[in-house]
Amino acid sequence: MSPTLRSHTPQRLLAAAAISMLAFCGTAQAATLDQIRQSGTVRIAVANEIPYGYMDLKGQARGAGPDVAAQIMKDLGVKKIEWVTTSFDALIPGLQADRYDMVAAEMAILPQRCQQVLFSEPNSSYGEGLLVPKGNPKHLTSYESLAKANDKVAIMAGADQLEMMHALGVPDSSIVTISNNADAISAVTTGRADAYAATGLTVAQLASKNGKVESAKPFTDPVIQGTPARSWGGFAFSKNSSDLRDAVNTELAKFKKTPGWSRIMIGYGFTDNDGRQSMAKTTEQLCSK
Amino acid sequence: MDWLSYSEPLLEGAWITAQIAVMSTLVGAVASFALGMGRLARNRALSMFCIAVIELFRGTSLLVQLFWLYFALPVFGQILGLDLRLPPVMAGVLALGLNIGAYGAEVVRGAIQAVPRSQHEAAKALDFTPRQIMWRIALPQAIPEMMPSFSNLAVQNLKDTALVSLIGLGDMAFRAEQIRNFTQDSTTVYTLLLFMYFGMALVLMALMKTMERAVGRWRATARI
């Protein structure tokens, strides 16, 4: 290096910088199942969404997705899991950029997402909910009621509630986008939005954290194109990780038959009906809907 | 007290923030001099190249640069059949460093050009080579002039590191978001965060002040 440094020419400095930059890039490609088994490490992403997948204060991954994923990886003989937290709307781009091998955020299996990533069979099923200020001053009881009045509704960036709102005819001008669930309470209590639309479990969890908000009751599930909206969440993988997806599917099917799985799901607030519903549809059906 | 339980994850994050701030400031310093002096080079191709890099990094959003390096570059690499997945730390340091370096380059250029023309002429008359003029005459006078602006940029850079939380790096802002998501206690978390950045900025300002004195030592007597 010393001749390069002594000559002091910016060209050489830039060239050295460029070379060291290339040297820092690894040579690994999208990890296959064999590679993951060999290295014993898998990288799994969660979005900060309680109770689907989140990090607690100690930096430990928790939630329905991570807990089940951890069990599956144990069954597959993968010893170490590197947890990655990102925002919800960065989950799919991160998979495509090979930042992690798998997403355990109970992301809803939807046709347009199926075009971008691979999904496992459903792990969970969940309905919708609405977070409103205490006392529900606008008497909101469904997503449809938002379409009728000109009320503002908050939605998390990248979440499928946006498509539901569009299908129900809620104009874009009434939709406030927030970047994560932590902003929901402040958006609703400060009046930046009249309600926050999210899954029932998220809403219940947020309502329990703050006395100034509650979950809208009675809540009628939105009916979209003739069927009540219900989501099926699964693990997501990059398009070229089908062998990993297949292996996870096999273990997931086995694990879902055990009481251990029910314990995890009920522990995070899923109901027995949610559990039964999660078996009712296949990913193939959900992708071609 | 609640905030005591927050301090451990926040301090872990502060360590990452400090590392990223130091690394990107160093990258920025190298880039400032390389680009700033390259811009003044007599080689036209080189100076045009440096101008292009400076304007590119000054003229685009730092956040978009970060996202581009983190999310777009790997996909771009896949198309070319290359593995261009920069580790998150690398992407963060590179984007921050080149961005602050582009601003720094203009500080370097301005300070060098501010050295009076007559000094160059005098040096030439004494048969100094162009390289000697740069290293022995222009830079020793220019560097102390650059320091106040560099201090500004370094503090700016420290605060910009909060953006790396958006590419999943566990820095202070990222940890704060995590705690906030877990506890919904926005006021305490953000207040602590403000003070922690302020504390780090104070330390950085003191360091830069010391450095400013050190590089300006030679002219201390002249000033009296």
Side-chain angles (χ1 to χ4, degrees), chain A residues 152-156 165 174-178 184 187-188 193-198:
Chain A
K152 288 222 184 281
V153 58
I155 290 175
M156 183 164 66
M165 293 299 164
S174 303
I175 294 173
V176 180
T177 307
I178 61 174
V188 171
D194 297 307
Y196 173 54

Side-chain angles (χ1 to χ4, degrees), chain A residues 53-68:
Chain A
Y54 60 97
M55 294 281 182
D56 68 10
L57 280 186
K58 294 192 182 76
Q60 192 67 41
R62 302 206 176 281
D67 281 12
V68 174

Side-chain angles (χ1 to χ4, degrees), chain A residues 132-139 212 214:
Chain A
V132 292
K134 185 103 197 136
N136 198 356
K138 299 235 169 159
H139 306 292
K212 287 184 196 146
E214 64 181 36

Side-chain angles (χ1 to χ4, degrees), chain A residues 17-35:
Chain A
I19 289 164
S20 55
M21 174 182 138
L22 286 175
F24 267 102
C25 315
T27 45
Q29 251 306 312
T32 64
L33 178 62
D34 284 341
Q35 282 167 345

